[in-house]
Amino acid sequence: MKSTTRTLLAATLVLGVAAGPAVLPAAATGAPAAVSVPTADRALDDAIAGLPAKDATAALVRVGGGEGVWRGTSGVHDLRTMRPADPDGRFRAGSVTKVFTAAVVLQLAAEGRLDLDRPARSYLPELIPGRYGKVTVRQLLNHTHGIPAADVAGSTVEEWYANRFEIHDPRATVRSATAKQPEFAPGEKQHYLNIGYTIAGLLIERVTGETYERQVTARVLRPLGLRDTYLPGADPRIRGPHNHGYQTMRLADGSTGLRDVSVWGATDGWAAGALVSTTADLERFTEALFQGRVVRGPLLEEMFTLPEVPDVKSGAPAAYSVGLSMKKLGGREVWGKTGGRWGYNAAIASTRRGERTLVYSVNATDAKGQDMNRVALALMVAAYGAPTD
């Protein structure tokens, strides 16, 4: 795979997925367990073959839509027993959570309980200071708000691991971010950050009088029958069957190797990144979303409309809409969202009319790194083709 392909894809559709060196125990690896109906896609088979490997220990994949159905599982449940990976295992979906949050906000907008063009401060005046008084709800969701990231404790994965059980209060997170000066005037540029979705979660709570978790469950999870999807709150464990996640880091003896990071609190992500799900549930959600059964009517187009502003870092055209992002792959637009939590990468993707959908969970060994994970990259290209611009 050419390095330009890796760079293009990592800079746009995919965030928070990476490859990295790791130390794995000696083990036999085999071909993925896959079923292809009606098309046998060797590229998808090849993308997940040979796991566990240095950059991933497992992969769960579902491809759907009118162009054919494919299911694949590769790797191991854990590195101690080396049992085969569970294709129905739950995993941390990371920033895929943002799609659920955006969907709830758009539902509330359709009901007239939120106005996308209204300043967020008008809903949360005690939390959002005057310097951010012009930031609208829509700008929170499409990352054009100009609010910087909140401060976080630690600067290395080892330090973050030591603080993995810390409970983060979303209001304190917002206060940390909004105490700083704006990165840019609202609506002028785009900078992908979690903070807009943390505020969005608090907006949901303010206008409904219920918790964010209850609203997502009542409006999305329960109607779609997503029984294996939930928001964990302060619980650092993944409830139910799941494949273990591992992260490359410095170990107690000073060496660099893999540590089991399956148990890790997600309150820092909350409405921006705490969701736990399965590939089957995310596939059902993706199909329903793109068919207009989650967000109904004209407001669905908010998810397929890119703001006409440059990215704050690269200067390239904005790649993020409300909840989703877009990249041209194989000559056509592919919309979706990726997510990364320690030990886990996830993604949902689809062509606009649902001709081909892709959902994956890759147990990456450096899931929060800067470059795209090799397995995740291969899956995206196998499903849709290489970037075409």
Side-chain angles (χ1 to χ4, degrees):
M1 186 68 63
K2 294 181 179 179
S3 60
T4 53
T5 300
R6 179 183 296 271
T7 302
L8 280 169
L9 205 55
T12 53
L13 183 62
V14 182
L15 289 177
V17 284
V23 177
L24 287 170
T29 61
V35 177
S36 302
V37 180
T39 59
D41 195 328
R42 178 55 64 87
L44 287 164
D45 286 323
D46 291 344
I48 62 173
L51 300 184
K54 69 174 184 178
D55 43 17
T57 59
L60 317 177
V61 189
R62 298 174 74 93
V63 174
E67 295 179 359
V69 174
W70 187 91
R71 306 284 184 258
T73 302
S74 183
V76 296
H77 169 270
D78 67 274
L79 293 176
R80 182 181 63 84
T81 68
M82 301 300 287
R83 289 175 12 225
D86 181 354
D88 300 318
R90 295 174 176 176
F91 52 83
R92 303 191 189 280
S95 285
V96 174
T97 309
K98 292 181 175 70
V99 192
F100 288 73
T101 303
V104 172
V105 172
L106 291 175
Q107 287 183 6
L108 292 169
E111 296 164 9
R113 302 172 73 178
L114 272 175
D115 185 340
L116 297 182
D117 293 314
R118 187 175 172 183
R121 188 171 189 265
S122 67
Y123 298 101
L124 297 166
E126 80 289 357
L127 190 60
I128 300 176
R131 67 167 61 95
Y132 293 108
K134 294 184 178 180
V135 173
T136 67
V137 176
R138 180 184 286 104
Q139 289 165 347
L140 292 176
L141 298 177
N142 67 16
H143 306 284
T144 62
H145 46 74
I147 304 173
D151 292 329
V152 295
S155 59
T156 66
V157 64
E158 291 81 13
E159 291 172 332
W160 297 323
Y161 177 77
N163 296 321
R164 66 194 181 279
F165 299 132
E166 181 179 350
I167 304 298
H168 299 264
D169 174 29
R171 290 166 181 80
T173 298
V174 174
R175 292 190 191 99
S176 171
T178 57
K180 305 175 186 179
Q181 292 298 314
E183 291 187 329
F184 48 82
E188 286 192 357
K189 299 179 182 179
Q190 186 174 80
H191 188 186
Y192 177 88
L193 290 170
N194 282 348
I195 189 64
Y197 279 77
T198 301
I199 300 174
L202 293 171
L203 285 174
I204 291 169
E205 294 192 333
R206 176 58 53 87
V207 302
T208 66
E210 293 189 334
T211 66
Y212 163 76
E213 291 82 359
R214 183 180 293 272
Q215 281 290 300
V216 172
T217 300
R219 290 175 172 272
V220 182
L221 306 188
R222 191 175 299 129
L224 294 181
L226 307 184
R227 296 180 179 84
D228 290 310
T229 302
Y230 70 96
L231 290 153
D235 187 354
R237 298 182 180 276
I238 301 174
R239 300 198 302 263
H242 60 278
N243 301 306
H244 288 224
Y246 296 87
Q247 168 65 32
T248 303
M249 66 175 73
R250 189 176 63 254
L251 304 179
D253 62 2
S255 64
T256 297
L258 291 179
R259 189 186 294 275
D260 191 325
V261 292
S262 307
V263 181
W264 193 314
T267 57
D268 59 321
W270 194 52
L275 196 78
V276 173
S277 191
T278 64
T279 54
D281 271 9
L282 288 184
E283 183 178 60
R284 181 178 299 179
F285 170 73
T286 302
E287 291 172 349
L289 181 71
F290 280 68
Q291 292 167 6
R293 295 189 286 114
V294 179
V295 178
R296 301 179 186 276
L299 282 170
L300 179 59
E301 289 308 309
E302 295 285 342
M303 294 187 130
F304 301 101
T305 303
L306 299 175
E308 295 181 359
V309 298
D311 178 83
V312 70
K313 295 181 179 179
S314 68
Y320 295 92
S321 62
V322 170
L324 300 175
S325 62
M326 190 278 288
K327 179 62 184 173
K328 289 186 178 179
L329 301 172
R332 56 184 172 176
E333 290 186 356
V334 177
W335 294 83
K337 190 70 191 76
T338 60
R341 295 291 302 181
W342 302 110
Y344 300 90
N345 283 159
I348 64 172
S350 179
T351 52
R352 180 64 179 84
R353 293 189 297 274
E355 298 94 341
R356 171 159 280 206
T357 62
L358 168 67
V359 174
Y360 67 68
S361 168
V362 173
N363 292 52
T365 58
D366 190 8
K368 301 287 281 185
Q370 295 301 309
D371 296 321
M372 189 175 180
N373 178 269
R374 173 190 62 82
V375 177
L377 173 65
L379 283 169
M380 199 68 71
V381 172
Y384 295 108
T388 52
D389 64 353

PDB file of all heavy atoms in Angstrom, residues 174-198:
ATOM      1  N   VAL A 174     -16.283  21.097  30.086  1.00  0.00           N
ATOM      2  CA  VAL A 174     -16.676  22.282  29.325  1.00  0.00           C
ATOM      3  C   VAL A 174     -16.060  23.537  29.931  1.00  0.00           C
ATOM      4  O   VAL A 174     -15.565  24.417  29.202  1.00  0.00           O
ATOM      5  CB  VAL A 174     -18.209  22.397  29.255  1.00  0.00           C
ATOM      6  CG1 VAL A 174     -18.628  23.714  28.593  1.00  0.00           C
ATOM      7  CG2 VAL A 174     -18.788  21.216  28.495  1.00  0.00           C
ATOM      8  N   ARG A 175     -16.059  23.642  31.243  1.00  0.00           N
ATOM      9  CA  ARG A 175     -15.468  24.825  31.879  1.00  0.00           C
ATOM     10  C   ARG A 175     -13.977  24.936  31.565  1.00  0.00           C
ATOM     11  O   ARG A 175     -13.460  26.028  31.340  1.00  0.00           O
ATOM     12  CB  ARG A 175     -15.681  24.767  33.394  1.00  0.00           C
ATOM     13  CG  ARG A 175     -17.134  24.916  33.823  1.00  0.00           C
ATOM     14  CD  ARG A 175     -17.259  25.084  35.316  1.00  0.00           C
ATOM     15  NE  ARG A 175     -18.653  24.975  35.743  1.00  0.00           N
ATOM     16  CZ  ARG A 175     -19.198  23.880  36.250  1.00  0.00           C
ATOM     17  NH1 ARG A 175     -18.460  22.781  36.416  1.00  0.00           N
ATOM     18  NH2 ARG A 175     -20.471  23.862  36.607  1.00  0.00           N
ATOM     19  N   SER A 176     -13.281  23.801  31.544  1.00  0.00           N
ATOM     20  CA  SER A 176     -11.853  23.801  31.215  1.00  0.00           C
ATOM     21  C   SER A 176     -11.615  24.320  29.811  1.00  0.00           C
ATOM     22  O   SER A 176     -10.694  25.112  29.566  1.00  0.00           O
ATOM     23  CB  SER A 176     -11.285  22.385  31.358  1.00  0.00           C
ATOM     24  OG  SER A 176      -9.970  22.302  30.852  1.00  0.00           O
ATOM     25  N   ALA A 177     -12.459  23.891  28.877  1.00  0.00           N
ATOM     26  CA  ALA A 177     -12.289  24.297  27.479  1.00  0.00           C
ATOM     27  C   ALA A 177     -12.665  25.754  27.265  1.00  0.00           C
ATOM     28  O   ALA A 177     -11.942  26.510  26.601  1.00  0.00           O
ATOM     29  CB  ALA A 177     -13.121  23.396  26.576  1.00  0.00           C
ATOM     30  N   THR A 178     -13.804  26.161  27.811  1.00  0.00           N
ATOM     31  CA  THR A 178     -14.306  27.505  27.532  1.00  0.00           C
ATOM     32  C   THR A 178     -13.602  28.584  28.348  1.00  0.00           C
ATOM     33  O   THR A 178     -13.821  29.778  28.106  1.00  0.00           O
ATOM     34  CB  THR A 178     -15.821  27.589  27.782  1.00  0.00           C
ATOM     35  OG1 THR A 178     -16.103  27.207  29.142  1.00  0.00           O
ATOM     36  CG2 THR A 178     -16.571  26.674  26.826  1.00  0.00           C
ATOM     37  N   ALA A 179     -12.756  28.201  29.284  1.00  0.00           N
ATOM     38  CA  ALA A 179     -11.936  29.184  29.998  1.00  0.00           C
ATOM     39  C   ALA A 179     -10.837  29.733  29.093  1.00  0.00           C
ATOM     40  O   ALA A 179     -10.247  30.782  29.392  1.00  0.00           O
ATOM     41  CB  ALA A 179     -11.333  28.558  31.247  1.00  0.00           C
ATOM     42  N   LYS A 180     -10.568  29.038  27.983  1.00  0.00           N
ATOM     43  CA  LYS A 180      -9.511  29.446  27.059  1.00  0.00           C
ATOM     44  C   LYS A 180     -10.073  30.365  25.983  1.00  0.00           C
ATOM     45  O   LYS A 180     -11.284  30.442  25.769  1.00  0.00           O
ATOM     46  CB  LYS A 180      -8.894  28.205  26.410  1.00  0.00           C
ATOM     47  CG  LYS A 180      -8.370  27.166  27.394  1.00  0.00           C
ATOM     48  CD  LYS A 180      -7.902  25.924  26.658  1.00  0.00           C
ATOM     49  CE  LYS A 180      -7.520  24.819  27.610  1.00  0.00           C
ATOM     50  NZ  LYS A 180      -7.072  23.591  26.892  1.00  0.00           N
ATOM     51  N   GLN A 181      -9.174  31.027  25.281  1.00  0.00           N
ATOM     52  CA  GLN A 181      -9.572  31.875  24.170  1.00  0.00           C
ATOM     53  C   GLN A 181      -9.970  31.014  22.968  1.00  0.00           C
ATOM     54  O   GLN A 181      -9.440  29.914  22.776  1.00  0.00           O
ATOM     55  CB  GLN A 181      -8.428  32.814  23.774  1.00  0.00           C
ATOM     56  CG  GLN A 181      -8.104  33.859  24.820  1.00  0.00           C
ATOM     57  CD  GLN A 181      -9.280  34.787  25.084  1.00  0.00           C
ATOM     58  OE1 GLN A 181      -9.933  35.278  24.154  1.00  0.00           O
ATOM     59  NE2 GLN A 181      -9.561  35.020  26.362  1.00  0.00           N
ATOM     60  N   PRO A 182     -10.879  31.503  22.137  1.00  0.00           N
ATOM     61  CA  PRO A 182     -11.285  30.726  20.949  1.00  0.00           C
ATOM     62  C   PRO A 182     -10.120  30.470  20.005  1.00  0.00           C
ATOM     63  O   PRO A 182      -9.209  31.295  19.888  1.00  0.00           O
ATOM     64  CB  PRO A 182     -12.341  31.637  20.293  1.00  0.00           C
ATOM     65  CG  PRO A 182     -12.828  32.530  21.384  1.00  0.00           C
ATOM     66  CD  PRO A 182     -11.652  32.748  22.289  1.00  0.00           C
ATOM     67  N   GLU A 183     -10.171  29.313  19.338  1.00  0.00           N
ATOM     68  CA  GLU A 183      -9.179  29.005  18.305  1.00  0.00           C
ATOM     69  C   GLU A 183      -9.424  29.828  17.048  1.00  0.00           C
ATOM     70  O   GLU A 183      -8.494  30.183  16.334  1.00  0.00           O
ATOM     71  CB  GLU A 183      -9.238  27.516  17.944  1.00  0.00           C
ATOM     72  CG  GLU A 183      -8.761  26.599  19.031  1.00  0.00           C
ATOM     73  CD  GLU A 183      -8.674  25.159  18.575  1.00  0.00           C
ATOM     74  OE1 GLU A 183      -9.480  24.745  17.703  1.00  0.00           O
ATOM     75  OE2 GLU A 183      -7.806  24.431  19.074  1.00  0.00           O
ATOM     76  N   PHE A 184     -10.699  30.109  16.766  1.00  0.00           N
ATOM     77  CA  PHE A 184     -11.082  30.908  15.605  1.00  0.00           C
ATOM     78  C   PHE A 184     -12.527  31.347  15.812  1.00  0.00           C
ATOM     79  O   PHE A 184     -13.236  30.829  16.686  1.00  0.00           O
ATOM     80  CB  PHE A 184     -10.939  30.114  14.297  1.00  0.00           C
ATOM     81  CG  PHE A 184     -11.551  28.741  14.325  1.00  0.00           C
ATOM     82  CD1 PHE A 184     -12.913  28.556  14.106  1.00  0.00           C
ATOM     83  CD2 PHE A 184     -10.767  27.615  14.577  1.00  0.00           C
ATOM     84  CE1 PHE A 184     -13.484  27.292  14.141  1.00  0.00           C
ATOM     85  CE2 PHE A 184     -11.330  26.344  14.620  1.00  0.00           C
ATOM     86  CZ  PHE A 184     -12.688  26.180  14.394  1.00  0.00           C
ATOM     87  N   ALA A 185     -12.961  32.305  15.029  1.00  0.00           N
ATOM     88  CA  ALA A 185     -14.342  32.773  15.122  1.00  0.00           C
ATOM     89  C   ALA A 185     -15.283  31.663  14.682  1.00  0.00           C
ATOM     90  O   ALA A 185     -14.991  30.932  13.725  1.00  0.00           O
ATOM     91  CB  ALA A 185     -14.537  34.012  14.260  1.00  0.00           C
ATOM     92  N   PRO A 186     -16.428  31.516  15.347  1.00  0.00           N
ATOM     93  CA  PRO A 186     -17.344  30.417  14.984  1.00  0.00           C
ATOM     94  C   PRO A 186     -17.785  30.507  13.535  1.00  0.00           C
ATOM     95  O   PRO A 186     -18.122  31.576  13.025  1.00  0.00           O
ATOM     96  CB  PRO A 186     -18.527  30.616  15.944  1.00  0.00           C
ATOM     97  CG  PRO A 186     -18.385  32.001  16.471  1.00  0.00           C
ATOM     98  CD  PRO A 186     -16.941  32.320  16.460  1.00  0.00           C
ATOM     99  N   GLY A 187     -17.741  29.344  12.871  1.00  0.00           N
ATOM    100  CA  GLY A 187     -18.174  29.254  11.482  1.00  0.00           C
ATOM    101  C   GLY A 187     -17.103  29.560  10.459  1.00  0.00           C
ATOM    102  O   GLY A 187     -17.358  29.468   9.262  1.00  0.00           O
ATOM    103  N   GLU A 188     -15.871  29.878  10.899  1.00  0.00           N
ATOM    104  CA  GLU A 188     -14.809  30.244   9.955  1.00  0.00           C
ATOM    105  C   GLU A 188     -13.935  29.070   9.531  1.00  0.00           C
ATOM    106  O   GLU A 188     -13.430  29.037   8.411  1.00  0.00           O
ATOM    107  CB  GLU A 188     -13.923  31.334  10.548  1.00  0.00           C
ATOM    108  CG  GLU A 188     -14.570  32.705  10.582  1.00  0.00           C
ATOM    109  CD  GLU A 188     -13.571  33.797  10.907  1.00  0.00           C
ATOM    110  OE1 GLU A 188     -12.387  33.480  11.169  1.00  0.00           O
ATOM    111  OE2 GLU A 188     -13.981  34.968  10.894  1.00  0.00           O
ATOM    112  N   LYS A 189     -13.742  28.103  10.421  1.00  0.00           N
ATOM    113  CA  LYS A 189     -12.875  26.960  10.138  1.00  0.00           C
ATOM    114  C   LYS A 189     -13.481  25.718  10.770  1.00  0.00           C
ATOM    115  O   LYS A 189     -14.505  25.783  11.455  1.00  0.00           O
ATOM    116  CB  LYS A 189     -11.453  27.198  10.670  1.00  0.00           C
ATOM    117  CG  LYS A 189     -10.749  28.397  10.053  1.00  0.00           C
ATOM    118  CD  LYS A 189      -9.370  28.584  10.652  1.00  0.00           C
ATOM    119  CE  LYS A 189      -8.687  29.824  10.071  1.00  0.00           C
ATOM    120  NZ  LYS A 189      -7.339  30.039  10.658  1.00  0.00           N
ATOM    121  N   GLN A 190     -12.839  24.580  10.529  1.00  0.00           N
ATOM    122  CA  GLN A 190     -13.275  23.333  11.145  1.00  0.00           C
ATOM    123  C   GLN A 190     -12.106  22.690  11.888  1.00  0.00           C
ATOM    124  O   GLN A 190     -11.006  22.586  11.345  1.00  0.00           O
ATOM    125  CB  GLN A 190     -13.816  22.356  10.103  1.00  0.00           C
ATOM    126  CG  GLN A 190     -14.413  21.078  10.711  1.00  0.00           C
ATOM    127  CD  GLN A 190     -15.081  20.200   9.676  1.00  0.00           C
ATOM    128  OE1 GLN A 190     -14.384  19.467   8.967  1.00  0.00           O
ATOM    129  NE2 GLN A 190     -16.415  20.243   9.584  1.00  0.00           N
ATOM    130  N   HIS A 191     -12.374  22.265  13.124  1.00  0.00           N
ATOM    131  CA  HIS A 191     -11.383  21.535  13.910  1.00  0.00           C
ATOM    132  C   HIS A 191     -12.109  20.412  14.631  1.00  0.00           C
ATOM    133  O   HIS A 191     -12.942  20.657  15.510  1.00  0.00           O
ATOM    134  CB  HIS A 191     -10.692  22.456  14.921  1.00  0.00           C
ATOM    135  CG  HIS A 191      -9.540  21.798  15.627  1.00  0.00           C
ATOM    136  ND1 HIS A 191      -8.862  22.398  16.660  1.00  0.00           N
ATOM    137  CD2 HIS A 191      -8.935  20.590  15.436  1.00  0.00           C
ATOM    138  CE1 HIS A 191      -7.892  21.602  17.081  1.00  0.00           C
ATOM    139  NE2 HIS A 191      -7.933  20.482  16.362  1.00  0.00           N
ATOM    140  N   TYR A 192     -11.795  19.185  14.248  1.00  0.00           N
ATOM    141  CA  TYR A 192     -12.456  18.021  14.836  1.00  0.00           C
ATOM    142  C   TYR A 192     -11.984  17.839  16.276  1.00  0.00           C
ATOM    143  O   TYR A 192     -10.800  17.580  16.530  1.00  0.00           O
ATOM    144  CB  TYR A 192     -12.150  16.766  14.021  1.00  0.00           C
ATOM    145  CG  TYR A 192     -12.747  15.517  14.611  1.00  0.00           C
ATOM    146  CD1 TYR A 192     -14.040  15.131  14.277  1.00  0.00           C
ATOM    147  CD2 TYR A 192     -12.041  14.735  15.507  1.00  0.00           C
ATOM    148  CE1 TYR A 192     -14.607  13.995  14.821  1.00  0.00           C
ATOM    149  CE2 TYR A 192     -12.591  13.585  16.061  1.00  0.00           C
ATOM    150  CZ  TYR A 192     -13.870  13.222  15.720  1.00  0.00           C
ATOM    151  OH  TYR A 192     -14.436  12.095  16.264  1.00  0.00           O
ATOM    152  N   LEU A 193     -12.922  17.965  17.224  1.00  0.00           N
ATOM    153  CA  LEU A 193     -12.635  17.795  18.647  1.00  0.00           C
ATOM    154  C   LEU A 193     -13.864  17.191  19.337  1.00  0.00           C
ATOM    155  O   LEU A 193     -14.983  17.254  18.824  1.00  0.00           O
ATOM    156  CB  LEU A 193     -12.315  19.146  19.304  1.00  0.00           C
ATOM    157  CG  LEU A 193     -11.002  19.829  18.928  1.00  0.00           C
ATOM    158  CD1 LEU A 193     -10.970  21.247  19.483  1.00  0.00           C
ATOM    159  CD2 LEU A 193      -9.810  19.034  19.436  1.00  0.00           C
ATOM    160  N   ASN A 194     -13.651  16.664  20.535  1.00  0.00           N
ATOM    161  CA  ASN A 194     -14.753  16.087  21.303  1.00  0.00           C
ATOM    162  C   ASN A 194     -15.640  17.136  21.965  1.00  0.00           C
ATOM    163  O   ASN A 194     -16.818  16.878  22.242  1.00  0.00           O
ATOM    164  CB  ASN A 194     -14.205  15.164  22.394  1.00  0.00           C
ATOM    165  CG  ASN A 194     -13.784  13.807  21.870  1.00  0.00           C
ATOM    166  OD1 ASN A 194     -14.078  13.444  20.737  1.00  0.00           O
ATOM    167  ND2 ASN A 194     -13.080  13.054  22.691  1.00  0.00           N
ATOM    168  N   ILE A 195     -15.103  18.310  22.254  1.00  0.00           N
ATOM    169  CA  ILE A 195     -15.779  19.247  23.145  1.00  0.00           C
ATOM    170  C   ILE A 195     -17.160  19.647  22.651  1.00  0.00           C
ATOM    171  O   ILE A 195     -18.088  19.814  23.458  1.00  0.00           O
ATOM    172  CB  ILE A 195     -14.885  20.494  23.392  1.00  0.00           C
ATOM    173  CG1 ILE A 195     -15.490  21.359  24.497  1.00  0.00           C
ATOM    174  CG2 ILE A 195     -14.640  21.265  22.109  1.00  0.00           C
ATOM    175  CD1 ILE A 195     -15.549  20.680  25.842  1.00  0.00           C
ATOM    176  N   GLY A 196     -17.352  19.808  21.349  1.00  0.00           N
ATOM    177  CA  GLY A 196     -18.670  20.181  20.843  1.00  0.00           C
ATOM    178  C   GLY A 196     -19.731  19.162  21.199  1.00  0.00           C
ATOM    179  O   GLY A 196     -20.893  19.509  21.474  1.00  0.00           O
ATOM    180  N   TYR A 197     -19.345  17.887  21.204  1.00  0.00           N
ATOM    181  CA  TYR A 197     -20.303  16.826  21.508  1.00  0.00           C
ATOM    182  C   TYR A 197     -20.510  16.646  23.005  1.00  0.00           C
ATOM    183  O   TYR A 197     -21.567  16.184  23.436  1.00  0.00           O
ATOM    184  CB  TYR A 197     -19.873  15.530  20.815  1.00  0.00           C
ATOM    185  CG  TYR A 197     -20.298  15.559  19.370  1.00  0.00           C
ATOM    186  CD1 TYR A 197     -19.595  16.311  18.433  1.00  0.00           C
ATOM    187  CD2 TYR A 197     -21.441  14.899  18.949  1.00  0.00           C
ATOM    188  CE1 TYR A 197     -20.007  16.386  17.112  1.00  0.00           C
ATOM    189  CE2 TYR A 197     -21.869  14.957  17.631  1.00  0.00           C
ATOM    190  CZ  TYR A 197     -21.146  15.714  16.722  1.00  0.00           C
ATOM    191  OH  TYR A 197     -21.579  15.795  15.424  1.00  0.00           O
ATOM    192  N   THR A 198     -19.529  17.027  23.806  1.00  0.00           N
ATOM    193  CA  THR A 198     -19.758  17.065  25.249  1.00  0.00           C
ATOM    194  C   THR A 198     -20.821  18.097  25.565  1.00  0.00           C
ATOM    195  O   THR A 198     -21.750  17.843  26.345  1.00  0.00           O
ATOM    196  CB  THR A 198     -18.451  17.404  25.984  1.00  0.00           C
ATOM    197  OG1 THR A 198     -17.457  16.427  25.665  1.00  0.00           O
ATOM    198  CG2 THR A 198     -18.663  17.419  27.496  1.00  0.00           C
TER     199      THR A 198
END
